[in-house]
Amino acid sequence: MQTINVNLGERSYPIHVGESLLPQAGELMRRAGVGERVAVVTDAKIAGLYLKPLEESLHSSGFKVATVLVPEGEEHKNLATVSTIYDRLVGERFDRGSALVALGGGVIGDMTGFTAATFLRGISYVQVPTTLLAQVDASVGGKTGVNRPEGKNLIGAFYQPRLVLIDVDTLQSLPQRELTAGLAEVVKYGIIADPALFALLEENLHDSTALSRELLVHVIAVSCRIKASVVEKDERESDYRAVLNFGHTVGHALEALTRYETYLHGEAVAIGMVQAAAISLRERLCDKAAFERIRRLIFRAGLPAEIPSGVDLRELLKHMEVDKKSTGGKVKFVLCRGIGATAFHWLSPAEIVAALQR
Ligand code: GLY
């Protein structure tokens, strides 16, 4: 097991990454000082796979456990579902010493975190992410929230968990496409902060074959360390934390333009990262060799790299302009300085279109 500490003063917490961690959850939560009444929030599919070992571990460490099942899917990440969680917590007479455990992917984690942030003005919660995407991104850093019909994550709070438990064994049941999509965020950490991680992925990602469990533990731990250090510098995204959005400006626009039906988030981000690297090349921040390494690694991971020819670039730009990072007709882009460092540039639509790759 590897442990990364997120250092945020009194809001500090550990992230444990390893194999067979679910059976140790009770003991690790005790050690982290989590109160004895807990509600595990999950959906029926994840419950069928992982609830039993988690519950057994919690019971044997003396926790009193309730389970709250929520419907599966992004379309249920809303205040109506959160309200059903509040109902259960009130019904079970949860108090300020009680805690929530988010068992699942990013949707469960964001929604459970938001419920914890707001119930009785804030109770503790533990993240137990079961997708690679949630393990390397959403479960770390305290962004919680729900969607509105007008847009994603419009309601939310920065609220840090008490503990993050990442058991790589939960990835065994993850469909290959989702695992590959999660790798996009791992590649992102290499590009924005860590040439050694990038080189390790270059050596080990052949034809998108799965990484060994040992290597997964390592790359997840390195990714979490990088995310933790960004969050430690700028917890509430006043500026610097936006480096984590490398590849996301084009990625979010592509996802929205295709109504979230065509791409998994990581796939859209993979395309967005290649486009951000192409813009970086055009802006002379990155040389051709670094750009080619990024494009080749995305390709070798089994991820898409180009904007499909059917996509109308003007429409894509419109979606970038309504993105929350834009202002004054220019879009704030996170660009890369080769591999391992970043820079922010404000770009006009013409500058963006000139660099986009089909
Ligand atoms: N997912 C980006 C962040 O946590 O800031």
Side-chain angles (χ1 to χ4, degrees), residues 210-223:
L211 298 167
S212 69
R213 284 156 90 208
E214 293 76 15
L215 209 54
L216 269 172
V217 170
H218 176 71
V219 299
I220 292 168
V222 171
S223 298

Side-chain angles (χ1 to χ4, degrees), residues 137-138 140-141 143 158 185 188 227 231 237 241-242 244-245 248:
D137 186 16
V140 175
K143 277 191 181 175
F158 287 99
E185 298 281 351
K188 179 192 81 178
K227 178 146 186 189
V231 170
E237 198 169 320
R241 182 165 173 163
L244 298 171
N245 293 333
H248 285 58

Side-chain angles (χ1 to χ4, degrees), residues 230-253:
V230 172
V231 170
E232 284 163 4
K233 288 196 188 91
D234 179 19
E235 184 183 2
R236 299 175 71 88
E237 198 169 320
S238 43
D239 186 25
Y240 177 66
R241 182 165 173 163
V243 297
L244 298 171
N245 293 333
F246 180 76
H248 285 58
T249 306
V250 171
H252 281 153

